[in-house]
């Protein structure tokens, strides 16, 4: 029995609110489960069968949540694709991953070689007598395909089963004390593994899922739990200050996606909100380790069922949440090395009894014979009060081979005085060879990334090369 069916027949949960949509309408588990059944029936009538590939090319919506679960109920593989991607890229990704059907909220989009799926929530609410169409449950079969962030420029589709997602959810729910009495905002996109993590936590405890209303930051303050990246957290704090808000429901915020400034988490604590600093990745179905945020920059200890070891400072992982593999040429290909571990290419160490992430091995460059890890520099610069975002890249240099250059976003606009003050501030915090020799205004970059959880360093570096001409 799928979890939504289980909650629909349970005396404890069937009449309990399962979901609140963008308009604030509520759906009990009994009603929501029937909606999933009806969507599955209509998908089946449109040709979806076991092992079909289904893509949604859309922002979050109730339709997408129903499509996601109904596809799994039919034994299909479901993949989300960022709607900000050009149609040509979306088509290429569908071809590479054996996708036959797609859903888009933009009905005018015509994508060759793919069958468009039609969804109408109103009709599903009316059709209450439709037969149940479901696939025999196999919790370890391929259910979802999630694209990596594409640090190499070529995203891979990582395949998870329902069990992978549920194993990951178990550890997170225990960490953040998420129960059936709580609510979680679908604050991150479902085409990203962190958005899917929210879905499986909600399902695993029969909690309440909220879809954001037009006022996103007001929506955050109406739920008990939320997942945010640091940029969203900074905007939430600004929102609370601007509107002089003193009362809200939010008690727990799970943070991730990039380095998390301790200054922000300290502000949350002062508001009575417990935040959690975490480390996760698509290959492990989202969060791997986390802790209650404190003054230290680590990401805590491993959650239930995860295992870790270090090989030349590289993090190797296995255990709960580990994906079935990559999708390649119609098959699932293992992502494990010969030793049976996932080699992450992330550098890390144990410090003060917790995991500390040092950066990506493939971002490292050499300057005058010294290894430079951009994330180390970025974490120091982010502590400067006027900095909102920073990315460090190598720039060619005749004498040293490479020197670091920083792309920064300042809270009060890019200006030379702030740059001069920053350079002076860094003098006793970074060795001279690690200090950026040039600063570029991040707002000058054409590449827009508003729909991404993580900014693609590959695309950002290409934009920087256009500005400077000699970026590696």
């Amino acid at each position: 029995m799928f979890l939504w069916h289980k909650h629909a027949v349970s005396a404890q949960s069937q009449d309990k609110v399962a979901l609140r949509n963008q308009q604030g309408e509520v759906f009990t588990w009994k009603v929501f489960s029937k909606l999933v059944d009806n969507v599955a029936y209509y998908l089946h009538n449109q040709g979806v069968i076991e092992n079909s590939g289904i893509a949604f090319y859309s922002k979050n919506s109730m339709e997408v949540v129903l499509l996601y679960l109904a596809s799994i109920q039919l034994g299909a593989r479901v993949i989300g694709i960022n709607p900000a991607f050009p149609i040509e890229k979306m088509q290429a990704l569908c071809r590479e991953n054996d996708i036959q059907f797609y859903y888009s909220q933009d009905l005018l989009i015509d994508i060759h070689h793919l069958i468009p799926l039609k969804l109408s929530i109103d009709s599903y609410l009316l059709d209450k007598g439709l037969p149940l169409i479901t696939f025999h449950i196999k919790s370890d079969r391929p259910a979802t395909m999630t694209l990596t962030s594409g640090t190499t420029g070529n995203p891979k589709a990582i395949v998870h089963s329902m069990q992978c997602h549920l194993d990951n959810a178990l550890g997170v729910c225990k960490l953040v004390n998420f129960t059936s009495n709580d609510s979680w905002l679908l604050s991150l996109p479902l085409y990203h593994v962190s958005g899917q993590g929210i879905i499986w936590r909600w399902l695993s405890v029969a909690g309440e899922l909220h879809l954001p209303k037009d006022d996103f930051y007001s929506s955050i303050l109406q739920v008990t739990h939320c997942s945010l990246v640091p940029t969203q957290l900074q905007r939430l704090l600004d929102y609370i200050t601007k509107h002089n808000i003193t009362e809200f429901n939010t008690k727990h915020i799970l943070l991730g996606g990039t380095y998390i400034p301790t200054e922000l988490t300290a502000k949350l604590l002062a508001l009575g909100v417990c935040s959690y600093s975490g480390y996760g990745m698509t290959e492990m179905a989202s969060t791997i380790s986390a802790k209650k945020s404190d003054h230290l920059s680590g990401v805590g200890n491993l959650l239930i069922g995860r295992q870790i070891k270090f090989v030349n400072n590289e993090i190797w992982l296995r255990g709960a949440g580990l994906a079935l593999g990559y999708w390649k040429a119609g098959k699932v290909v293992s992502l494990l090395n010969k030793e049976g571990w996932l080699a992450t290419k992330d550098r890390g160490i144990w410090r003060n009894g917790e995991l500390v992430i040092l950066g990506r091995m493939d971002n490292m460059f050499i300057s005058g014979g010294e290894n430079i890890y951009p994330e180390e520099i970025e974490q120091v610069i982010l502590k400067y009060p006027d900095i909102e975002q920073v990315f460090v890249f190598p720039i060619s240099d005749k004498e040293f081979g490479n020197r670091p250059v920083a792309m920064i976003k300042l809270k009060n606009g890019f200006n030379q005085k702030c740059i001069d003050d920053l350079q002076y501030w860094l003098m006793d915090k970074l060795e001279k060879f690690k200090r950026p020799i040039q600063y570029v205004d991040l707002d000058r970059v054409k590449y827009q990334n508003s729909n991404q959880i993580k900014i693609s360093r590959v695309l950002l570096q290409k934009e920087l090369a256009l500005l400077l001409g000699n970026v590696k």
Side-chain angles (χ1 to χ4, degrees):
M1 184 180 292
F2 290 97
L3 283 173
W4 43 98
H5 293 148
K6 177 183 176 182
H7 301 328
V9 299
S10 167
Q12 288 74 36
S13 57
Q14 62 180 217
D15 295 320
K16 181 177 171 295
V17 173
L19 180 145
R20 294 177 185 267
N21 68 10
Q22 298 99 314
Q23 292 74 41
E25 298 172 298
V26 299
F27 300 84
T28 65
W29 279 107
K30 186 187 296 184
V31 172
F32 179 80
S33 177
K34 186 58 182 175
L35 274 173
V36 178
D37 291 344
N38 287 357
V39 172
Y41 174 84
Y42 279 106
L43 293 180
H44 182 72
N45 277 3
Q46 292 176 69
V48 175
I49 59 174
E50 178 188 349
N51 296 322
S52 290
I54 301 174
F56 58 89
Y57 185 56
S58 173
K59 296 179 180 179
N60 286 355
S61 67
M62 186 168 176
E63 289 86 347
V64 168
V65 173
L66 290 169
L67 173 74
Y68 180 86
L69 297 180
S71 300
I72 294 172
Q73 182 167 313
L74 292 173
R77 295 171 289 110
V78 62
I79 184 171
I81 299 178
N82 188 342
F85 286 175
I87 291 178
E88 293 76 13
K89 182 173 183 178
M90 187 272 193
Q91 288 178 295
L93 289 168
C94 286
R95 285 194 299 270
E96 291 169 12
N97 295 294
D98 303 290
I99 303 300
Q100 299 87 40
F101 301 88
Y102 78 96
Y103 169 73
S104 173
Q105 288 173 304
D106 186 348
L107 300 178
L108 298 178
I109 292 179
D110 181 20
I111 301 178
H112 300 300
H113 309 301
L114 293 175
I115 302 171
L117 295 171
K118 297 179 181 178
L119 296 179
S120 174
I121 297 299
D122 291 339
S123 66
Y124 304 148
L125 287 169
L126 294 173
D127 292 333
K128 297 182 179 179
L130 296 176
L132 174 65
I133 304 291
T134 187
F135 177 76
H136 177 64
I137 299 175
K138 293 181 180 179
S139 60
D140 60 347
R141 65 170 286 113
T144 66
M145 301 170 69
T146 309
L147 296 171
T148 63
S149 57
T151 54
T152 62
N154 297 304
K156 294 179 180 179
I158 297 174
V159 183
H160 287 102
S161 64
M162 285 195 298
Q163 196 61 53
C164 294
H165 288 295
L166 288 170
D167 286 346
N168 186 283
L170 177 66
V172 177
C173 289
K174 183 176 181 180
L175 172 76
V176 303
N177 194 29
F178 184 59
T179 71
S180 60
N181 297 319
D182 297 313
S183 52
W184 205 304
L185 185 71
L186 189 57
S187 52
L188 301 173
L190 270 177
Y191 55 76
H192 193 279
V193 74
S194 296
Q196 294 176 60
I198 296 169
I199 294 291
W200 294 99
R201 294 164 210 153
W202 161 60
L203 290 172
S204 67
V205 303
E208 193 172 309
L209 181 72
H210 288 210
L211 274 67
K213 299 178 182 179
D214 290 340
D215 189 334
F216 178 76
Y217 292 99
S218 174
S219 298
I220 292 175
L221 301 177
Q222 294 172 26
V223 295
T224 61
H225 290 67
C226 189
S227 302
L228 298 177
V229 297
T231 300
Q232 290 174 318
L233 174 56
Q234 178 63 66
R235 292 172 182 171
L236 173 64
L237 292 169
D238 292 342
Y239 181 93
I240 291 173
T241 300
K242 178 181 178 182
H243 295 276
N244 195 27
I245 297 171
T246 56
E247 296 184 3
F248 43 80
N249 294 326
T250 313
K251 300 299 180 185
H252 304 270
I253 295 181
L254 179 62
L255 300 167
T258 186
Y259 171 73
I260 302 158
T262 55
E263 292 81 359
L264 295 183
T265 58
K267 291 179 181 179
L268 270 184
L269 186 60
L271 292 171
V273 179
C274 183
S275 66
Y276 304 82
S277 301
Y279 163 63
M281 61 192 313
T282 306
E283 289 85 347
M284 293 292 288
S286 191
T287 310
I288 300 161
S289 69
K291 66 170 183 180
K292 288 185 178 180
S293 302
D294 55 24
H295 66 285
L296 299 175
S297 59
V299 289
N301 289 286
L302 299 184
L303 302 185
I304 300 171
R306 286 78 163 165
Q307 299 175 51
I308 190 171
K309 74 173 181 176
F310 302 93
V311 179
N312 297 323
N313 280 348
E314 182 182 13
I315 296 172
W316 287 15
L317 296 167
R318 65 184 180 190
L322 179 66
L324 300 179
Y326 298 111
W327 188 266
K328 187 175 182 180
K331 296 181 180 180
V332 178
V333 179
S334 175
L335 44 73
L336 301 181
N337 59 23
K338 293 180 180 179
E339 289 79 11
W341 291 80
L342 168 65
T344 67
K345 294 187 179 179
D346 287 330
R347 295 172 60 249
I349 57 172
W350 284 109
R351 180 191 295 156
N352 299 319
E354 64 176 335
L355 176 61
V356 176
I357 307 300
L358 301 177
R360 293 283 299 174
M361 296 179 69
D362 44 15
N363 288 339
M364 188 270 289
F365 61 92
I366 298 174
S367 178
E370 299 282 354
N371 291 345
I372 303 288
Y373 293 95
E375 291 89 346
E376 177 190 358
I377 302 172
E378 291 165 3
Q379 290 180 20
V380 174
I381 294 177
L382 272 172
K383 294 179 180 179
Y384 190 68
D386 292 332
I387 296 290
E388 185 171 312
Q389 282 183 301
V390 58
F391 298 90
V392 173
F393 297 103
I395 185 171
S396 297
D397 183 88
K398 289 183 179 180
E399 182 180 359
F400 296 96
N402 299 289
R403 297 296 301 276
V405 60
M407 302 185 73
I408 63 172
K409 181 179 178 66
L410 295 171
K411 294 178 181 178
N412 298 309
F414 193 87
N415 65 88
Q416 190 57 49
K417 183 181 184 306
C418 187
I419 298 302
D420 294 341
D421 292 343
L422 171 61
Q423 288 178 309
Y424 180 79
W425 182 82
L426 288 173
M427 288 181 65
D428 61 350
K429 297 172 180 64
L430 282 174
E431 298 93 325
K432 186 175 182 180
F433 64 88
K434 293 180 181 178
R435 292 178 219 151
I437 63 168
Q438 187 173 350
Y439 292 84
V440 176
D441 184 2
L442 189 58
D443 287 336
R444 289 179 59 194
V445 176
K446 295 179 182 178
Y447 172 56
Q448 297 299 313
N449 206 72
S450 58
N451 291 316
Q452 293 277 60
I453 291 179
K454 293 182 180 180
I455 290 183
S456 169
R457 297 184 76 100
V458 172
L459 294 178
L460 202 57
Q461 194 163 359
K462 288 179 180 178
E463 293 288 347
L464 182 60
L466 294 175
L467 290 173
L468 302 183
N470 64 343
V471 178
K472 290 262 179 147

